[in-house]
Amino acid sequence: MSEPMNLPADHLERTRALDPTRSFICEAPAGSGKTELLTQRFLTLLSRVERPEEILAITFTRKATGEMRERIVRALHEAQAPKPERAHKVTTWNLARAVINRDKQLNWQLLDNPVRLRIQTFDSLCA
């Protein structure tokens, strides 16, 4: 019999944050998985839209926008590899697999065109 995956104490709240019909606020200390959760949320939304440009993620710094884009693209690459063992990585892998399928279905070519991912700073959005 296999051992159950270790889930974080806030697993239910993280799962609720992935519901695209709801809004949420994510406040937590550094290193707690906020960016991973936001990456999962973006992937969830990507798997449901007709065009990637329909989604807009806004953050405060250019560094954060770059990190977010890189995490999404990395998740899409990793979705082509075998399923990971860590619980939070499995969630990201499953969500990214759904996006890869959507990408193929609608010919987005996201891995060749990551600029289609609208991730901006507040300043660039207002400009």
Side-chain angles (χ1 to χ4, degrees):
M1 182 156 101
S2 64
E3 293 218 3
M5 290 191 239
N6 291 331
L7 298 174
D10 62 351
H11 174 71
L12 291 177
E13 289 83 5
R14 289 173 185 260
T15 301
R16 278 188 224 124
L18 298 180
D19 179 352
T21 66
R22 299 179 64 178
S23 296
F24 73 100
I25 294 173
C26 180
E27 294 180 288
S32 61
K34 292 184 302 290
T35 305
E36 181 77 15
L37 179 61
L38 294 172
T39 299
Q40 291 173 347
R41 171 81 174 198
F42 201 97
L43 291 168
T44 297
L45 295 169
L46 273 176
S47 70
R48 290 166 165 77
V49 296
E50 293 297 316
R51 298 178 320 116
E53 295 84 359
E54 293 176 43
I55 304 166
L56 172 62
I58 307 169
T59 187
F60 289 100
T61 67
R62 281 182 273 170
K63 180 181 177 186
T65 63
E67 181 181 352
M68 185 70 152
R69 184 181 317 280
E70 188 236 301
R71 289 226 192 169
I72 292 166
V73 170
R74 183 181 337 132
L76 296 176
H77 280 291
E78 290 175 355
Q80 299 171 11
K83 188 176 184 176
E85 293 184 23
R86 294 176 66 194
H88 74 282
K89 294 290 183 187
V90 170
T91 299
T92 301
W93 185 85
N94 285 329
L95 294 168
R97 297 275 301 180
V99 173
I100 291 291
N101 290 335
R102 189 78 169 159
D103 179 286
K104 288 178 184 173
Q105 176 188 22
L106 298 174
N107 196 29
W108 291 342
Q109 301 178 357
L110 280 178
L111 291 175
D112 294 328
N113 301 297
V115 71
R116 295 190 72 183
L117 302 172
R118 292 183 59 208
I119 305 167
Q120 298 177 254
T121 62
F122 285 97
D123 289 342
S124 68
L125 177 68
C126 292

